[in-house]
């Protein structure tokens, strides 16, 4: 009996200490400070800054809220962040606002204290980000029906990427099908994966695999393995322009009356443009050029898309994809294109 009484007394003594410890943990996670250009001071937790928007969390708000990056005057945090700058630097350290300056902070890294203008910062990520904070998923689908010829068109696509401080892994899949009574269905299926490893400055190396099948061009399968080096010509918190060059190995299998398969080495050139700070609008354009090395001809893949953000993480998207092959292995059309509208949902 006495043992139980003593045990209960010890527990009662420990409860205030445990509560204080838990409160201190919460205070630590909510100990970042953001200063706005209007003179406001907000205390909470910096989630990230990307695409020209700072995401912030506070105890007094039910959910995270966002501040335009140009509305931020300064910030202070003892936590460690990965900070990307216009000139290609990737700094890892905590942040302290230089009071009295115009949008200047000092990043305290392991070896130095560096002054950085907020105008030069294009992205900020906490080092201790969890898996869910590093992954981004987009799912969309579209459907159309033409009554005059009973034509149905269905499109689906999915994209996902996972990014750390050093590398980026991407994967995508899409399918478009056109179905009409008494006529063979027309389908286009594509997908692939890509891995980027970031080097010093604005450079990165990449490797990936992609595939395509297209019934209109009687292409049962085109599989392309590629590797090369890339460079960000421009990278701001509003848009980026990247380019790259490398080598690719392709395998093609055509159907039809006389099936043909072929393997080739190709050169590769890439231009990638992404404008993501036009209000709720996002514009993308990408060109992949594959000049033949072991066979004549040249292939060009072009992609354009316009995405408009809706409430609750939904969006509508218009996209255009064009494939061109100057010297196909069989007598088929040299080019084919797909235009589609869709509605989707994004987890970021």
């Amino acid at each position: 009996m006495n043992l139980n009484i003593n045990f209960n007394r010890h527990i009662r003594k420990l409860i205030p200490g445990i509560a204080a410890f838990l409160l201190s943990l919460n205070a630590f996670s909510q100990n970042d400070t953001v200063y706005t250009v209007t003179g406001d001071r907000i205390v909470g937790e910096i989630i990230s800054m990307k695409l020209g928007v700072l995401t912030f969390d506070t105890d007094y708000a039910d959910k995270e809220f966002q501040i335009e990056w140009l509305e931020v005057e300064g910030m202070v945090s003892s936590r460690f962040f990965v900070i990307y700058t216009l000139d290609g630097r990737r700094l890892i350290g905590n942040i302290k606002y230089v009071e009295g300056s115009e949008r200047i902070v000092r990043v305290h890294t392991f070896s130095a204290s560096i002054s950085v203008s907020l105008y030069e910062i294009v992205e900020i990520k906490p080092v201790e980000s969890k898996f869910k904070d590093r992954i981004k998923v987009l799912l969309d689908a579209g459907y159309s029906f033409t009554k005059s010829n009973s034509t149905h068109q269905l499109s689906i696509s999915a994209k996902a990427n996972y990014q750390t401080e050093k590398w980026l892994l991407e994967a995508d899949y899409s399918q478009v099908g056109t179905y009409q009574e008494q006529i063979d269905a027309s389908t286009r299926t594509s997908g692939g994966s890509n891995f980027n490893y970031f080097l010093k400055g604005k450079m990165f190396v990449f490797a990936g695999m992609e595939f395509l099948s297209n019934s209109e061009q009687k292409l049962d399968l085109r599989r392309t393995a590629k590797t090369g080096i890339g460079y960000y010509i421009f990278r701001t918190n509003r848009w980026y322009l990247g380019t790259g060059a490398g080598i690719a190995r392709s395998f093609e299998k055509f159907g039809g009356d006389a099936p043909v398969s072929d393997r080739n080495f190709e050169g590769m050139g890439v231009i990638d443009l992404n404008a993501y700070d036009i209000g709720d609008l996002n514009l993308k354009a990408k060109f992949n050029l594959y000049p033949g090395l072991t066979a004549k001809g040249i292939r060009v893949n072009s992609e354009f898309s316009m995405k408009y953000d809706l409430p609750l993480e939904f969006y509508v998207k218009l996209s255009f994809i064009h494939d061109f092959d100057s010297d196909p292995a069989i007598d088929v059309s040299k080019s084919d294109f797909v235009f589609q509208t869709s509605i989707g949902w994004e987890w970021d």
Side-chain angles (χ1 to χ4, degrees):
M1 183 69 177
N2 292 334
L3 181 62
N4 289 335
I5 294 174
N6 291 333
F7 179 77
N8 291 334
R9 287 175 178 172
H10 284 297
I11 290 297
R12 291 192 191 100
K13 291 179 180 179
L14 287 174
I15 287 174
I18 294 172
F21 175 73
L22 293 175
L23 288 172
S24 68
L25 287 179
N26 183 67
F28 179 77
S29 64
Q30 295 280 336
N31 201 31
D32 303 336
T33 304
V34 170
Y35 301 89
T36 70
V37 295
T38 58
D40 294 325
R41 178 178 176 272
I42 308 171
V43 177
E45 181 181 0
I46 297 170
I47 305 300
S48 67
M49 193 288 286
K50 56 185 176 181
L51 310 184
V53 175
L54 175 71
T55 303
F56 203 72
D57 191 21
T58 64
D59 283 335
Y60 49 82
D62 293 334
K63 60 181 181 179
E64 298 171 356
F65 65 92
Q66 297 180 326
I67 310 170
E68 291 291 331
W69 184 237
L70 291 178
E71 298 298 317
V72 176
E73 178 67 21
M75 55 177 56
V76 175
S77 178
S78 58
R79 297 186 296 139
F80 276 75
F81 295 85
V82 182
I83 301 163
Y84 300 87
T85 65
L86 278 172
D87 57 6
R89 288 179 295 169
R90 188 168 57 249
L91 307 174
I92 299 178
N94 52 39
I95 304 171
K96 184 175 182 181
Y97 174 45
V98 180
E99 296 186 18
S101 66
E102 182 181 354
R103 306 192 77 218
I104 300 292
V105 296
R106 294 195 69 83
V107 179
H108 299 280
T109 68
F110 294 105
S111 59
S113 177
I114 304 169
S115 293
V116 182
S117 170
L118 297 191
Y119 292 107
E120 299 176 358
I121 297 177
V122 299
E123 189 171 356
I124 298 175
K125 295 181 177 182
V127 170
E128 65 270 23
S129 291
K130 299 178 181 178
F131 176 84
K132 67 181 182 63
D133 299 317
R134 297 176 181 269
I135 194 168
K136 179 178 181 179
V137 179
L138 296 95
L139 305 169
D140 55 71
Y143 175 78
S144 65
F145 172 70
T146 305
K147 184 179 179 181
S148 60
N149 55 7
S150 298
T151 300
H152 304 257
Q153 186 180 68
L154 175 66
S155 65
I156 57 172
S157 69
K159 292 185 178 181
N161 66 54
Y162 182 85
Q163 184 169 355
T164 72
E165 294 77 38
K166 292 288 187 179
W167 53 268
L168 167 68
L169 179 63
E170 302 172 296
D172 67 274
Y173 174 86
S174 68
Q175 184 174 42
V176 180
T178 303
Y179 310 93
Q180 188 175 354
E181 292 182 3
Q182 300 179 349
I183 295 178
D184 291 338
S186 172
T187 60
R188 181 188 187 278
T189 306
S190 64
S193 60
N194 192 70
F195 177 81
N196 291 355
Y197 186 84
F198 304 114
L199 304 175
K200 186 176 181 179
K202 299 181 181 181
M203 301 186 71
F204 59 93
V205 292
F206 63 86
M209 177 75 73
E210 60 187 24
F211 70 88
L212 170 68
S213 66
N214 190 333
S215 61
E216 283 293 311
Q217 294 179 303
K218 298 181 180 179
L219 179 62
D220 291 341
L221 175 66
R222 175 185 290 134
R223 185 178 63 242
T224 305
K226 55 186 179 179
T227 185
I229 189 166
Y231 181 78
Y232 288 109
I233 300 174
F234 298 105
R235 186 181 183 185
T236 73
N237 52 22
R238 294 178 178 271
W239 68 290
Y240 73 73
L241 175 63
T243 186
I247 191 169
R249 173 68 165 169
S250 66
F251 167 78
E252 294 179 328
K253 182 181 179 182
F254 288 87
D257 297 331
V260 175
S261 61
D262 196 14
R263 289 179 171 85
N264 292 301
F265 279 102
E266 301 170 307
M268 184 183 65
V270 181
I271 297 177
D272 188 8
L273 172 66
N274 190 341
Y276 39 70
D277 189 22
I278 315 174
D280 293 322
L281 195 64
N282 183 307
L283 300 176
K284 289 184 179 181
K286 189 173 184 179
F287 302 90
N288 292 307
L289 180 69
Y290 297 95
L293 298 178
T294 57
K296 65 178 182 179
I298 187 171
R299 293 192 296 115
V300 182
N301 303 126
S302 307
E303 299 180 25
F304 304 88
S305 69
M306 179 172 65
K307 182 170 74 75
Y308 185 81
D309 293 329
L310 301 174
L312 302 177
E313 307 300 330
F314 285 93
Y315 61 86
V316 291
K317 186 173 73 171
L318 302 176
S319 58
F320 176 80
I321 302 172
H322 183 266
D323 299 316
F324 173 78
D325 188 345
S326 68
D327 189 33
I330 62 176
D331 186 18
V332 294
S333 173
K334 294 183 178 181
S335 65
D336 186 49
F337 69 88
V338 174
F339 177 79
Q340 61 190 100
T341 60
S342 57
I343 185 168
W345 179 77
E346 178 178 2
W347 178 33
D348 186 4

